[in-house]
């Protein structure tokens, strides 16, 4: 079927772009500069109901942007926060989509410690400072998307911890879901 083939091509392209840049900031910068981030965001927008494309597209965005201020600027400029929140809202049952989306949002909204920013503070000033990023996330329905991810995947430590911190830091006024799994695996005795 033609639609399935097109979605599979997009999934593989996202996987490839993320894999090329994984662990290499210089390659991540090159991929973004050459339009790779824009292509991934187009794929996630066009195939926002396709779980495999959404999962690998958000993984690629995470790889390209994690702890990388310049690439984060490009993500924000491209409307990436809204696109991430939209695909998270469209595929709430996917643990992969939710984990990658939460991780991207968490990385974008975290505060950089004073005196220990390694130049990131200066590069992120302007339209994409933490307050502006948080406002963009709130305007993209981040509270509801994160809350839904936490309710749907309440046994995921990562989703619950990052989600809770984001909701608290952005003034969420509802009931914050609680972790529903075991913190320590029970072993044999």
């Amino acid at each position: 079927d033609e639609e399935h083939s097109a979605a599979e091509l997009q999934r593989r392209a996202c996987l490839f772009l993320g894999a090329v840049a994984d662990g290499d900031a210089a390659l991540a910068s090159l991929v973004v500069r050459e339009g790779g981030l824009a292509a991934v965001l187009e794929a996630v927008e066009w195939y926002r109901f396709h779980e495999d494309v959404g999962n690998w597209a958000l993984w690629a965005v995470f790889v390209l942007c994690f702890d990388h201020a310049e690439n984060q600027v490009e993500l924000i400029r491209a409307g990436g926060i809204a696109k991430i929140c939209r695909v998270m809202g469209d595929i709430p049952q996917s643990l992969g989509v939710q984990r990658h989306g939460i991780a991207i949002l968490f990385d974008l909204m975290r505060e950089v410690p004073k005196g220990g920013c390694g130049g990131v503070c200066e590069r992120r000033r302007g339209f994409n400072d933490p307050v502006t990023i948080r406002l963009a996330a709130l305007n993209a329905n981040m509270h509801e998307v994160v809350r839904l991810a936490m309710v749907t995947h309440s046994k995921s430590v990562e989703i619950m911890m990052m989600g809770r911190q984001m909701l608290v830091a952005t003034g969420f006024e509802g009931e914050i879901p609680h972790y529903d799994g075991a913190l320590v695996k029970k072993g044999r005795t």
Side-chain angles (χ1 to χ4, degrees):
D1 145 79
E2 194 172 313
E3 183 179 336
H4 179 69
S5 295
E8 179 61 13
L9 179 63
Q10 295 299 315
R11 182 194 71 80
R12 288 181 183 188
C14 292
L15 178 59
F16 174 75
L17 290 171
V20 164
D22 197 7
D24 190 323
L27 279 175
S29 293
L30 179 63
V31 168
V32 170
R33 205 171 34 253
E34 295 298 323
L37 179 62
V40 170
L41 290 174
E42 285 180 33
V44 82
E45 188 171 36
W46 187 257
Y47 291 93
R48 67 184 176 273
F49 295 104
H50 193 283
E51 184 173 350
D52 288 336
V53 175
N55 180 41
W56 290 106
L58 292 185
W59 174 79
V61 170
F62 179 78
V63 167
L64 293 170
C65 296
F66 176 71
D67 210 20
H68 196 302
E70 290 84 6
N71 289 356
Q72 289 175 352
V73 167
E74 295 307 316
L75 175 65
I76 295 161
R77 283 186 184 148
I81 292 173
K83 292 173 185 176
I84 291 163
C85 287
R86 185 165 183 185
V87 74
M88 289 175 69
D90 288 341
I91 313 174
Q93 76 283 357
S94 172
L95 178 61
V97 167
Q98 301 307 313
R99 278 191 5 207
H100 295 127
I102 293 267
I104 296 163
L105 294 171
F106 184 81
D107 188 49
L108 285 173
M109 289 192 286
R110 67 188 165 98
E111 290 284 342
V112 179
K114 291 182 180 177
C117 65
V120 173
C121 302
E122 293 75 29
R123 293 191 305 267
R124 285 184 61 167
R125 294 265 185 253
F127 83 96
N128 69 325
D129 65 278
V131 172
T132 304
I133 292 168
R134 289 175 183 176
L135 287 174
L138 292 173
N139 288 332
N141 201 26
M142 186 268 305
H143 277 168
E144 183 55 30
V145 168
V146 169
R147 190 198 65 74
L148 180 59
M150 292 173 73
V151 167
T152 306
H153 303 285
S154 61
K155 293 185 187 302
S156 169
V157 174
E158 298 90 355
I159 288 174
M160 297 306 288
M161 287 176 38
M162 288 185 281
R164 181 175 194 79
Q165 288 183 19
M166 285 190 291
L167 291 177
V168 169
T170 56
F172 181 71
E173 293 183 352
E175 184 175 334
I176 297 176
H178 295 283
Y179 179 67
D180 197 21
L183 290 177
V184 179
K185 293 184 180 181
K186 296 179 182 178
R188 293 185 214 147
T189 54

